[in-house]
Amino acid sequence: MMRLIMGNEAVALGALRAGMSFFAAYPITPASEIMHLLAEKEGEIVFLHAEDEIAAIHHAIGGSLAGRKAMTSTSGPGMSLKQEGIGLAHMMEVPLVVVDVMRVGPSTGMPTLPSQGDVLQSVHGSHGDYHPIVFYPSSVEECYRVTIEAFNAAEESRSPVVLLSDGFLSHLAETVDLEAVKVEVKPRTLPPLGRGRRHFTGLLAEDGVPRTKDTAYYREWYARVKAKMSAVASSYRFFEYLPNPGAEALLIAYGIAFRVVLPLRREYSLFKPVRMFPLLEDEIRAAAEAHDKVVVVEMNDGQYAGEMRKLLQRDVLSVPILGGDIRLQEIRERLHEL
Amino acid sequence: MNYKDYVKWERMPSTWCPGCAIGTIFKSLAYTLEKLSVPREELVVVSGIGCSGRAAGYFDGDSVHTTHGRAVAVAEGIKRGNPALKVIVFSGDGDLVGIGGNHFLHTSRRDVDLTVVCVNNGIYGMTGGQMAPTTPPGEKTLTSPRGTAFAPINIQAIATAGPRHFYARASVYQVNHLQQALREAIEWPGFAFVDVMAFCLENFGRRLAFKSGHEMLFKVKADFKINPAPAGRLADNELGVVKHGH
Ligand SMILES: Cc1ncc(C[n+]2csc(CCOP(=O)(O)OP(=O)(O)O)c2C)c(N)n1
Ligand SMILES: [Mg+2]
């Protein structure tokens, strides 16, 4: 049955479909509808309106350790607060989904205009080296589908997976047939607390025993975790490539920016990464090779363009769309100026 | 089960200094678990960061060593995720009522069925001896070299603010009383806070001219008296259990 639903609603429904039974968050526009909808499910799921975003992600970590698929959702200011918990969940290898509905920052910024300013925060926001899986859908149907996949990836990688959205997509209403979305739901992987004798810690540890002065062990551990993340990520190669044989330039855009540039497919080739991180290296390289120019159109000052330069080892042009207003006409003109 | 069965012996010796007070609280909790026959499969000990926070890893149930200040928040998630578990938080004063103060405020307000054991040594021990929210007024520390200018936090007032509450003040000298308080706290069906008067020799006491843990222990003895049946709030020098509502 076709239904008219919003991006945020699709995320909440996707989470329920994935078997999420623990949700904790703190209100913030433009993410709050996820919370409102899940509040209605209290009793069927554990629902917690926490005292702040730090509490919310730590509740979610606890809920996940106790055996439930868990999620927390927020926007940029709260995402900054959640970074501590994201690091802890990586270190303890706890599955979790963290939703960040991006708005213009830094700080309170321009509440609550859309932005894509947290792209780098989503991979580098917590201290130390870690390799998160980050997804970013660009339609309401994809919000639903990719939320389910985010839970699957979280289970398989035993890590906090970030699901990006933005102030535009979150409130975008589109008709979707949810029943027609066929995604396999992966089972729980982390055995729940209550078996005795397991120690989870944010310290570097081997089988629960701290190894905090052991450089060789750190290197071994790091290589294992990094390899695990890329192995899991390799079965989540989500992207859309619309090659245009006559085009000189490849446009890379994601999330709501992809939707806005879609009409340009007659002049350009378009590439939309849905799995933002780890980078879709092979796919992006292959698409870029066929073009003289690579241009990234994004609602931040070249965050992904910088990643593309590193990956492709060539010049990548950047069209930053700042300040919360994104229009095709402006993008078209800026592309012609390049 | 014997109290020794709650201890991960392969992790001994602990990280704690000779003369430290934490071991007394650790052992008292293990004794209490024995007395209450808490099945090891139901036990989850949660800690934050600090010397006291290392305790989680020494208990032989499941345990979680979280980040600084977040033990109560993670513990609430665990308890709500699986109410059948016995979730006990064991952490330091700086961790629980300093950086983690907001979680203490709100998890206690929500009256979540947790036992929180606070090693109240009046100092940030692990990081070398900086002022904690619990540092006695006028006391010199690394970050209050001229003496603490602030009144210490009133843990009892916060813990007893709600209509249903459990607050116990115990000490590492009066060990029987400490074990009784822990026992009542674990049996209490809501949020129970056990504030254990302790000390830190190496990173606090030595600067105050204490020469041994033994000397500091006798200071605790001199400072506190047990009130077996407190009528209302405990006076500052009293140990006892204040509970209401369940
Ligand atoms: C976010 C963060 N800030 C600061 C620290 C450094 N730190 C580690 S333990 C600690 C204080 C611990 O004091 P307390 O909780 O009283 O425990 P104690 O060592 O006295 O038992 C601090 C500030 C940290 N680990 N994490
Ligand atoms: Mg302390």
Side-chain angles (χ1 to χ4, degrees), chain A residues 82-116:
Chain A
K82 288 187 196 297
Q83 294 300 336
E84 175 190 346
I86 288 173
L88 179 65
H90 274 286
M91 203 67 187
M92 298 199 309
E93 300 189 54
V94 176
L96 199 67
V97 173
V98 181
V99 184
D100 178 9
V101 184
M102 295 179 281
R103 58 189 238 189
V104 180
S107 190
T108 318
M110 298 173 77
T112 51
L113 297 183
S115 153
Q116 300 181 321

Side-chain angles (χ1 to χ4, degrees), chain B residues 52 92-94 119-125 132:
Chain B
S52 314
D93 45 0
V119 177
N120 189 337
N121 55 10
I123 197 83
Y124 284 28

Side-chain angles (χ1 to χ4, degrees), chain A residues 22 42 46-52 54-56 58-68 84-85 88 92 192-203 208-210 212, chain B residues 7-8 10-11 40-44 49 54 56-58 60-68 70 72-83 85 102-104 106-107 110:
Chain A
F22 192 107
E42 185 171 359
V46 178
F47 171 87
L48 257 162
H49 169 158
E51 58 269 23
D52 58 38
I54 305 177
H58 287 87
H59 290 328
I61 289 170
S64 182
L65 285 169
R68 293 169 180 270
E84 175 190 346
L88 179 65
M92 298 199 309
L193 290 174
R195 313 253 161 127
R197 314 216 81 208
R198 274 184 312 162
H199 183 57
F200 293 86
T201 173
L203 295 173
V209 181
T212 56
Chain B
V7 179
K8 273 209 174 96
E10 69 266 28
R11 292 287 313 277
R40 212 163 45 184
E41 314 74 61
E42 284 173 21
L43 175 68
V44 181
I49 300 295
R54 287 302 183 99
Y58 302 144
D60 205 17
D62 274 339
S63 55
V64 188
H65 183 211
T66 67
T67 42
H68 193 24
R70 314 301 166 213
V72 168
V74 172
E76 179 169 354
I78 295 170
K79 185 68 188 180
R80 289 185 187 270
N82 181 0
L85 297 171
N102 203 27
H103 310 312
F104 168 39
H106 290 278
T107 301
R110 291 189 285 262

